[in-house]
């Protein structure tokens, strides 16, 4: 079964189902898989006009094998050299994207994909704050994508600009070393 998803897109689709205006910013390959993702987002009521298209890169994938007790589900990530992992600072016209925006949501999965994706995440958070938007951040820590040390190094500076943090006690302990 093929399904389209991703942390930020899932949030945008859920918000659209509540009847609110949403948009999704990403970088996709200009091929049938990229268009399938864009079309599914549009089907769910999400504005996709800010998608960046690339002819050179591939779509990041992940595979889920659902477990049955006592065996847990398993996830295999195939995101190396994906279009979004190769996004660069300055490529997204954030001022235009955030015009009229009330809330910007991003997850810890995006900056985990590459150093450039982390830099773009920081750029987006700064631009959202400059536009007067609230910033929602889902820590969404994935050990298979980066170490706790790297996650801490990259994400700690974000926290000064985050208005709503979504996380678990376990992830806060893993990433920030905070307990209690």
């Amino acid at each position: 079964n093929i399904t389209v998803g991703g942390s930020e897109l899932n949030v945008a689709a859920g918000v659209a189902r509540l009847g609110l205006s949403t948009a999704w910013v990403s970088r996709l390959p200009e091929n049938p898989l990229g268009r399938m993702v864009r079309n599914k987002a549009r089907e769910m009521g999400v504005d996709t006009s800010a998608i960046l298209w690339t002819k050179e890169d591939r779509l990041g994938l992940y595979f889920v094998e659902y477990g049955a007790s006592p065996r847990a589900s398993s996830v295999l990530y195939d995101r190396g050299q994906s279009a979004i992992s190769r996004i660069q600072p300055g490529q997204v016209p954030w001022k235009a994207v955030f015009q009229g925006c009330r809330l910007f949501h991003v997850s810890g999965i995006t900056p985990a994909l590459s150093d450039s994706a982390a830099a773009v995440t920081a750029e987006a958070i700064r631009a959202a704050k400059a536009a007067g938007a609230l910033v929602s951040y889902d820590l969404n820590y994935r050990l298979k994508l980066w170490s706790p040390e790297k996650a801490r190094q990259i994400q700690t500076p974000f926290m000064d600009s985050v208005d709503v943090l979504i996380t678990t006690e376990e992830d806060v302990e893993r990433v920030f070393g905070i307990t209690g």
Side-chain angles (χ1 to χ4, degrees):
N1 296 326
I2 297 174
T3 58
V4 171
S7 184
E8 292 85 355
L9 179 56
N10 293 345
V11 170
V15 171
R17 288 186 65 176
L18 294 172
L20 299 173
S21 174
T22 66
W24 178 55
V25 177
S26 191
R27 186 168 184 269
L28 296 174
E30 195 169 345
N31 63 31
L33 285 176
R35 288 188 295 276
M36 178 185 72
V37 171
R38 188 250 346 251
N39 292 344
K40 182 52 82 173
R42 287 178 12 189
E43 272 179 35
M44 295 183 289
V46 176
D47 176 352
T48 61
S49 61
I51 290 174
L52 303 174
W53 294 97
T54 174
K55 293 183 185 296
E56 294 82 34
D57 300 315
R58 58 186 289 276
L59 185 67
L61 304 172
Y62 68 97
F63 301 88
V64 179
E65 179 184 3
Y66 293 104
S69 185
R71 190 176 61 79
S73 294
S74 175
V75 176
L76 170 68
Y77 292 104
D78 181 16
R79 294 182 171 168
Q81 304 302 311
S82 65
I84 191 62
S85 75
R86 295 169 56 102
I87 194 166
Q88 296 295 317
Q91 288 184 326
V92 178
W94 292 116
K95 189 172 182 176
V97 167
F98 289 133
Q99 191 170 14
C101 176
R102 295 185 343 207
L103 180 112
F104 170 62
H105 176 77
V106 67
S107 85
I109 291 176
T110 299
L113 298 177
S114 67
D115 289 342
S116 64
V120 172
T121 302
E123 177 184 67
I125 290 171
R126 286 191 305 273
K129 294 307 280 189
L134 294 172
V135 173
S136 166
Y137 194 86
D138 184 351
L139 196 59
N140 213 350
Y141 178 70
R142 297 292 185 262
L143 180 62
K144 290 183 179 182
L145 294 178
W146 57 356
S147 70
E149 296 77 22
K150 178 84 180 227
R152 180 179 309 113
Q153 173 195 353
I154 298 296
Q155 295 178 107
T156 297
F158 299 168
M159 295 303 111
D160 289 337
S161 300
V162 169
D163 298 295
V164 178
L165 178 63
I166 303 163
T167 188
T168 64
E169 289 181 38
E170 295 81 14
D171 285 352
V172 169
E173 184 174 352
R174 279 186 204 106
V175 175
F176 299 121
I178 297 171
T179 60

